[in-house]
Amino acid sequence: MAMFRGLEAGDKYDRQYTDGYLYRRIGSYLKNFRRDVIIIVVSLTVLSFLAAFQPVWFSDAIDALQAEGGGLPWFKFYQPAWLFQSFHDMQRIPGAQDALVFFVAALVVTSFIQYFIGWLRRYLTSKTLGNVVAQLRKDAFDAALQRDLAFYDKNKSGKIVSRITNDTQEFGEVAVIASDVITQMIQLVVLMVILFSASFWLTMLLILSTPLIVAVSSGFRVLARRVSRSGSRATASVNDTIQESVSGISVAKNFRRETFLYDEFVNVNTRSFKANMWRGLVLAAVFPVLNIVAGLVIAIMTFTGAQAVVWGQITLGIWYLFLQGVDRFYFPILNLSTFWNQFQQALSSTERIFALIDADNTVKQVADEPVGKVEGKIEF
């Protein structure tokens, strides 16, 4: 695309790192926070199990109510009058009231546990990632100080500032989202085991529809990585133009070059706008497209499960479990697909940070001679 022309090459010291190398290098920054990381992982696991088992409790409660009441027609579950009469009917069903009290108490207790563990996980995640981002900025700033003058003759300081500030901040924001996605993926694995135990053929129907969503999300991956990298470079160009123009404003005014500086900024800003507009369109298109695919699968699962209830192949509770399970099954996949594009953007940012840290000086000093006593004077 014409708008990406000049943004693909990047700076001369840019490097291409593999995803595996970036993961390992980011992990090296987490070694100093092993205790917090362990607590975060345990919290993620507990939250995932609690969230996965909640629809199971609903399913068991529905089946228990149906068994105590001698069977409830499946279509009454959708009639509004049934919702208003349910508590009145439970008074006449032996054991239903005790089951309801236990069910509500379990939900209240697990909700408090989820809130406390979720708060702890959020706090430790923000603290750990805040320290990692701070250390990344220190390393990037130290690398900028260690570069020689020849490096700054070829590379504009505004783009370097963008790497130290914008790219590190972008990495930190995406890393926070990553913890939520990990929670949902663990929940997905637990839920899969539960669904398989409830109905093998309905679970297989759910799994067979997954490659369609994976194929659609994979189609966005390469494009998202490209537009994310170009958008970051365009933003860096804007920052560089502003910094260079403001720092040299006195010279520009002396030579009446204000119009030239303004036109140059408008040109760079327009390219940045177009590049980031394309990035926004690509990232915004992921969820709607995947939701359309997921909606078709949910419709098929709803109809198939309802027919299975009518034919007596599964219970009403299992059907409800799968209706809840479909949403909990696809939401992590949709989230991962959407987050994957943002994750590619974060990898592009870390790639730019590490490229600055790893950049080589043009002049490599090998001598380490001590400086002797310097004497002199200035006369006017």
Side-chain angles (χ1 to χ4, degrees):
M1 298 179 186
M3 71 184 65
F4 296 141
R5 199 168 297 150
L7 297 175
E8 292 297 329
D11 297 310
K12 292 183 179 180
Y13 62 91
D14 272 333
R15 304 185 182 190
Q16 298 293 325
Y17 300 99
T18 63
D19 289 353
Y21 176 82
L22 292 175
Y23 298 149
R24 291 192 298 271
R25 192 156 178 179
I26 293 171
S28 66
Y29 282 86
L30 297 173
K31 289 182 179 179
N32 297 328
F33 309 97
R34 290 181 180 176
R35 182 180 64 86
D36 291 343
V37 171
I38 292 174
I39 296 176
I40 292 171
V41 172
V42 173
S43 301
L44 292 176
T45 305
V46 173
L47 287 174
S48 302
F49 272 87
L50 290 176
F53 276 102
Q54 281 184 348
V56 178
W57 297 338
F58 277 102
S59 174
D60 291 342
I62 293 173
D63 281 341
L65 180 61
Q66 186 179 21
E68 294 287 350
L72 293 173
W74 69 271
F75 56 83
K76 289 183 65 178
F77 189 71
Y78 281 104
Q79 294 181 1
W82 183 85
L83 298 175
F84 293 103
Q85 296 175 2
S86 59
F87 287 99
H88 177 70
D89 293 340
M90 286 178 188
Q91 301 293 331
R92 302 196 301 266
I93 300 176
Q97 191 172 13
D98 293 338
L100 178 64
V101 171
F102 175 80
F103 175 64
V104 172
L107 286 179
V108 171
V109 172
T110 53
S111 296
F112 274 105
I113 294 175
Q114 282 180 296
Y115 174 81
F116 173 75
I117 296 178
W119 175 86
L120 179 63
R121 191 259 301 179
R122 286 279 185 181
Y123 169 76
L124 292 178
T125 301
S126 300
K127 173 187 172 183
T128 302
L129 291 177
N131 282 292
V132 170
V133 170
Q135 188 60 48
L136 273 174
R137 283 181 175 168
K138 290 178 183 178
D139 292 346
F141 186 74
D142 180 65
L145 293 178
Q146 299 303 321
R147 301 288 79 83
D148 55 11
L149 292 178
F151 178 84
Y152 288 97
D153 289 338
K154 300 177 181 178
N155 301 284
K156 296 184 177 180
S157 58
K159 291 185 178 181
I160 297 173
V161 171
S162 179
R163 296 189 186 224
I164 299 174
T165 56
N166 295 348
D167 289 330
T168 53
Q169 183 65 29
E170 193 166 355
F171 164 77
E173 293 173 353
V174 174
V176 172
I177 304 175
S179 63
D180 293 330
V181 176
I182 293 174
T183 304
Q184 294 165 3
M185 295 308 297
I186 298 175
Q187 174 186 334
L188 175 62
V189 174
V190 177
L191 187 62
M192 284 297 299
V193 177
I194 296 173
L195 293 180
F196 264 118
S197 63
S199 176
F200 177 81
W201 66 273
L202 276 179
T203 308
M204 288 303 300
L205 179 62
L206 191 62
I207 293 176
L208 290 175
S209 62
T210 305
L212 181 60
I213 292 183
V214 174
V216 174
S217 61
S218 298
F220 283 96
R221 178 179 177 180
V222 177
L223 182 60
R225 186 71 175 265
R226 180 186 177 189
V227 298
S228 296
R229 185 184 292 117
S230 300
S232 298
R233 289 171 178 168
T235 302
S237 297
V238 172
N239 292 337
D240 171 66
T241 302
I242 294 175
Q243 180 170 349
E244 296 293 333
S245 299
V246 173
S247 61
I249 193 65
S250 58
V251 177
K253 282 185 169 295
N254 287 333
F255 290 91
R256 303 304 303 270
R257 302 290 288 173
E258 296 93 339
T259 302
F260 172 78
L261 290 180
Y262 178 78
D263 292 339
E264 184 182 19
F265 171 76
V266 169
N267 180 47
V268 174
N269 192 48
T270 301
R271 292 177 64 190
S272 174
F273 168 76
K274 292 180 179 180
N276 283 287
M277 273 292 294
W278 271 103
R279 179 171 66 173
L281 288 175
V282 171
L283 298 181
V286 178
F287 238 124
V289 173
L290 293 177
N291 272 325
I292 292 174
V293 178
L296 295 175
V297 177
I298 291 174
I300 295 174
M301 293 294 298
T302 302
F303 176 78
T304 306
Q307 294 297 318
V309 173
V310 173
W311 295 334
Q313 295 178 343
I314 61 174
T315 65
L316 179 63
I318 291 179
W319 182 47
Y320 176 82
L321 173 62
F322 269 89
L323 290 181
Q324 294 294 308
V326 168
D327 182 58
R328 293 170 185 262
F329 178 83
Y330 277 117
F331 185 73
I333 297 178
L334 293 177
N335 231 0
L336 180 63
S337 302
T338 305
F339 169 75
W340 187 253
N341 299 317
Q342 295 175 321
F343 192 65
Q344 294 299 314
Q345 184 174 335
L347 286 181
S348 298
S349 297
T350 55
E351 192 175 56
R352 287 163 50 80
I353 298 169
F354 292 145
L356 174 61
I357 295 175
D358 298 338
D360 296 322
N361 287 329
T362 303
V363 178
K364 297 182 180 180
Q365 180 175 334
V366 293
D368 189 17
E369 300 295 334
V371 178
K373 186 177 181 181
V374 179
E375 296 181 353
K377 60 180 180 179
I378 299 176
E379 293 182 356
F380 294 96

